[in-house]
Structures are given as structure tokens and as C-alpha cells.
Amino acid sequence: MKSWVYASVLSAVASLPLAIPAAAAEPVRGGVIDVATIGEPPTLDPMASTADLVGIVSQHIFETLYTFGADWTVVPLLAESLPEISEDGRVYTIKLRTGVTFHDGSAMDSADVLASLNRWETVASRGKQAAENIDKIEAVDATTIRISLKEPYAPLLSLLAFNNAAAIILPEEAQAAPMDKVIGTGPYMLKERKPDQYIQLVRFDGYQSREEAENGYGGARHQYLDEIRFVPVPDANTRVEGAVAGQFAYVDSIPVESFGRLAGGKTEPVVLKPFGWPVFVMNTKEGVLSDVNLRRAVQTALNPEDMLIAGFGSTDFYAVDGSLYPEGYAWHTEAGVEAYGQGDPEKAAEAVAAAGYDAAKPLRILTSRQYEFHYKMAVVAAEYLKLAGFAVQLDVVDWATLTQRRQDPKLWDIYISHSPFLPEPSLIGMMSDTAPGWWQSEAKTKALAAFNTEADPAKRAELFAAVQQVFYDEVPGIKVGNFNAVSAKVPALQGFTPAPWPYFWNASLAK
């Protein structure tokens, strides 16, 4: 056995790292912050959801064996260190930290981890994805877990580190699904949840922080704040006005057209550039778009630039780009992008007719106004698709309802979402056969198998071109482009590190 630094994500992201706060005076301990979110999370169980909103809240309560550092490499969290990996890449031996306590006062050991990983394999879409490659998981002793793989699987640590469909560690006795007890090891614990009003988290006095320096989502997690309240504010304009008035310490997801409104207000803008990509996810399992020819017709019809203009207004906030990762990322490739950005509904109409589309079956687009840019892009897309001969039905619901409905293939044909640029491509939802959209094919399986069984980062980057090519050939989704995200915070909120999933350990309130 030998200790490996997990290399597959080491060079995955060449963009700007998460910021590391400059050294300053000892932060003030105490205080309460209100954080405005885009709505009510559908659950607090991050295994059961891939919604970013769930991950933002729940990452304060629950922890995983690993997480991501400031340079997006995998770093240990509840694990003592990076795993020992066998020479053939099939056996991961993970030592656990000792002295870690759950919110109910019980001590974490390998029995809890084993039960949690077994739950993850059955409850979480990313756990199911990993389970296809896992032979068995064993508790070697009270502080050691061993994961044996059927074949080498490079994304494993990234899947264990991610904060949605997350491999959180729960007490062995609290493994019910659906979750009935909110008990984690995180720096904050749930005190009260009043649906549509707030989720109140308070400091967990028994928390055992890592001793390393702060490092992105990893390293020390200081609990300077007494309390964090996540307040659902579904209306975008209400979030903006709350930010201008300084009603909240932090406001997530500010519409970019309101950027100028923050000037002169009581908060300051926080911009992540580039943040990620809006995506139209296709229902490949049943319904209108189970026919790949009609999915290709949708791709041909849509004009990404028009959708991006509608969603973001200015090129200060978007870029027209069909590659799944922008230039500067190790995963960047131009494979397949000639199919991107055609904006040709007349050509698409010919394909729609040739495929024998039945206009009595509307193409149902599921979207939400809580992310206003989702809705605006949907409106533009609907017009292009009508020109292509589709009967279009726009279903506008709240975000929590969308995340529930997308689980049922009978209820939609396209749903609109977005994702940050993730450090490991296999974290992208559509790469899982069981994620909503249910994209499965021999070509996908073959391309992903070659990509995921290769350990060398440079070779993996080359192999990702084949994955992106299959994405464009089979159209399980449509990347609209790149976008920058805007949020806002009060100047008094110090030690806050801008991040795709904002976190508030290590943050404090100045006097």
C-alpha cells in the first residue's frame, strides 16, 4: 500500500481558486446573521437532493469524509488524511478522525461511516453512480473504512467530497430514508425550521474543528457566529431590495440587471467569474424528447446568445461558449461544439417533421422564477421552439416544486437548471444514469468508462473530449453558455470567502 495524493482533480481546474482571506485581527465572536436564499429547500437531507440550495444550508450541519480545498483539490474533512490506495487503484483505505462528536453527543466511528455510505449508495444519485463501481465497503476497525472497487475509478474521492447528493456521515441509528432526524457533525446544528420563514442554525459547542489553516471548504471551521438563519426570499426583486436596505447579512442570487442597484446601498456586490453554466436538461427516458432526433432538433433550433441576453443582459455577465468547460480549465475541449449555437428553427422544423412529431403532445418546459434568468431563457427558448414546429407548454413553479417534479419523467420534457464549473466532470448531474433526465447509452457508458478508469490527469483530460462528443451527439442537455453570479453582503460580514455554495463558518460580524 502507498499513500497517494489524489491527482485527478489536482490539475482539473486552472481558474481562479477560492479566495483565502488575508490575515487580520482576531474575529469577533458572537452575533446572528440572516441569509436570504432563493426559496425553501425541499429537504435538509443532502443525500436526497442535488439542489444547490440544499447543499448551501446543509453543509453547515453535515460533513463528509472529504471536501474541496481552495485550489479545488480533494482534502480530508472527517477522514484523518487522504486515503491509502492500492497499487492497482482498486482498494481505498480511509483512516477516520477520532474525537468527532455528533450533535446528539454520540462519538463517530466506522460503524456510523459504514451505515452512512451504504445509505448514500441507495439514496443519493451520486452514491448510486459510485455504487456501480464499488465491490464492497467494510469497517476494518473502529477508525478505518475500506472501499474495494470493481475496477479503478478516478472520480471516487470527488464524489465523496461533493456537497449535494452528498456522502454525509450520520449516526448509525439515524439512517432512516426519508430522513427523520437532522443530526450531523458540522459546526452548526438545526434548532428550528419554520417552512417559508426560516431555518435556524446555532453553534454546536461540541464541534471538533480540523487544526489546519482555513482552506476553501476544508481546513479549520471556526464558529465565530452564534447563529445563522437562512430566510427564503423567492421573489428576486424582494431579495434585491433587501440587499439595498441591508436587511440581510448576505443575499444569494441577485439578478445581474440589478447590479447597479447595489451601488450606494448598505451591501456590497460579490461576483464569481466565471461561475458556471445554465443548462436545459432533456427527459431522455419518456415523452417527446425520448427521441434523440427531436432532442437534436431542439439543439438546432435554440439560439444561445438570445437566451443569454435575455437572462443576463450584458456580456459583463455572460459568454457564448459551447464547451462544457471554458478555456483555462484542464477539461476544456472543442469536441462536438459545431452543433452548438445554430439558432436555426427552419432547419429544426425539417427534422421535427421528419421525426413524425405529434403536435398534440406539447413539449413541456419546467422552470422557476426564483432564478429569474431561468425563466427569461425559457421564454426565449419557447419562441424558437414554436418556430421549429413544437407545441410548447411553459410550466412555471417554485424551485422546491421543480426539484420534486423533475424526479417524475411523466411530468416534463425539459427542465432548466444551472451548475457551477465542477472540479470533476463526473460530478455533473447528467453523467449519472439515475439523475433526472436518465441519460443512458452504450456510447456514454464506453466514453465514461475510459475516462473514469484512467488515473493520469493529462490522459483523463484527453479522454474527456470523447465524453463531450457523446454529449453533443446524444443531446441529454443543452449548455446555454457561461455566466457570472452576483450576490451581496454587508461590509460588517468579515472573513467570508466567496464560493459557489456560500458558507459562513469562519465568517464573523465586525463590531
Side-chain angles (χ1 to χ4, degrees), residues 387-399:
L387 290 173
F390 287 102
V392 179
Q393 176 180 314
L394 203 59
D395 293 333
V396 184
V397 298
D398 64 87
W399 186 246

Side-chain angles (χ1 to χ4, degrees), residues 135-466:
D135 180 34
K136 58 183 175 180
I137 306 175
E138 305 166 277
V140 178
D141 56 40
T143 61
T144 310
I145 287 288
R146 184 165 57 221
I147 301 176
S148 300
L149 303 176
K150 299 173 185 176
E151 58 186 357
Y153 185 59
L156 178 62
L157 287 191
S158 292
L159 288 166
L160 290 172
F162 202 36
N163 76 347
N164 64 41
I168 57 169
I169 305 306
L170 305 167
E172 184 180 15
E173 299 78 15
Q175 301 289 329
M179 179 180 284
D180 58 1
K181 296 178 182 178
V182 181
I183 303 171
T185 60
Y188 291 86
M189 59 184 184
L190 179 67
K191 181 176 181 181
E192 185 177 22
R193 179 181 187 181
K194 287 195 172 182
D196 300 317
Q197 295 185 51
Y198 59 79
I199 296 170
Q200 181 186 22
L201 308 185
V202 296
R203 181 191 294 115
F204 171 43
D205 290 331
Y207 182 66
Q208 298 295 320
S209 172
R210 295 193 68 92
E211 296 182 357
E212 301 97 322
E214 301 170 25
N215 178 19
Y217 293 93
R221 294 184 168 187
H222 299 293
Q223 305 160 281
Y224 298 121
L225 298 167
D226 292 333
E227 185 176 319
I228 306 167
R229 289 192 300 234
F230 293 93
V231 181
V233 185
D235 182 74
N237 291 327
T238 304
R239 289 199 302 279
V240 172
E241 295 307 315
V244 172
Q247 180 181 355
F248 306 99
Y250 184 86
V251 180
D252 195 29
S253 192
I254 297 287
V256 295
E257 65 268 22
S258 300
F259 183 84
R261 284 279 293 126
L262 300 179
K266 295 183 177 180
T267 56
E268 55 196 25
V270 177
V271 179
L272 282 175
K273 179 180 181 179
F275 173 81
W277 48 299
V279 58
F280 284 38
V281 180
M282 309 289 191
N283 182 350
T284 70
K285 188 173 186 178
E286 60 182 86
V288 172
L289 297 183
S290 59
D291 183 339
V292 67
N293 295 306
L294 290 177
R295 297 201 300 274
R296 289 171 180 156
V298 171
Q299 180 170 257
T300 300
L302 295 181
N303 185 316
E305 186 162 20
D306 282 357
M307 291 189 288
L308 290 165
I309 290 171
F312 302 102
S314 166
T315 53
D316 290 339
F317 298 104
Y318 75 82
V320 180
D321 180 13
S323 297
L324 295 183
Y325 284 85
E327 289 187 13
Y329 284 70
W331 308 119
H332 175 74
T333 172
E334 297 291 328
V337 296
E338 62 273 7
Y340 170 81
Q342 297 179 57
D344 191 341
E346 292 183 359
K347 181 180 177 181
E350 296 174 3
V352 169
Y357 167 66
D358 181 359
K361 297 179 180 179
L363 193 160
R364 300 157 298 171
I365 301 177
L366 183 60
T367 190
S368 171
R369 298 199 72 157
Q370 284 164 263
Y371 291 109
E372 187 70 10
F373 68 96
H374 290 189
Y375 171 75
K376 291 178 177 179
M377 290 188 299
V379 171
V380 173
E383 295 307 310
Y384 274 93
L385 293 172
K386 289 174 186 176
L387 290 173
F390 287 102
V392 179
Q393 176 180 314
L394 203 59
D395 293 333
V396 184
V397 298
D398 64 87
W399 186 246
T401 299
L402 185 148
T403 62
Q404 292 168 350
R405 286 194 184 179
R406 70 185 180 187
Q407 304 293 331
D408 186 343
K410 299 185 182 302
L411 299 180
W412 60 277
D413 299 295
I414 295 173
Y415 82 82
I416 301 177
S417 187
H418 67 269
S419 172
F421 294 112
L422 302 172
E424 162 59 55
S426 290
L427 294 174
I428 297 171
M430 285 176 287
M431 299 304 171
S432 169
D433 290 352
T434 62
W438 304 280
W439 176 35
Q440 300 181 40
S441 75
E442 290 184 10
K444 173 192 177 183
T445 299
K446 180 179 179 181
L448 277 176
F451 176 66
N452 288 334
T453 56
E454 177 57 62
D456 181 84
K459 292 179 181 177
R460 292 193 78 218
E462 294 174 4
L463 289 166
F464 185 64

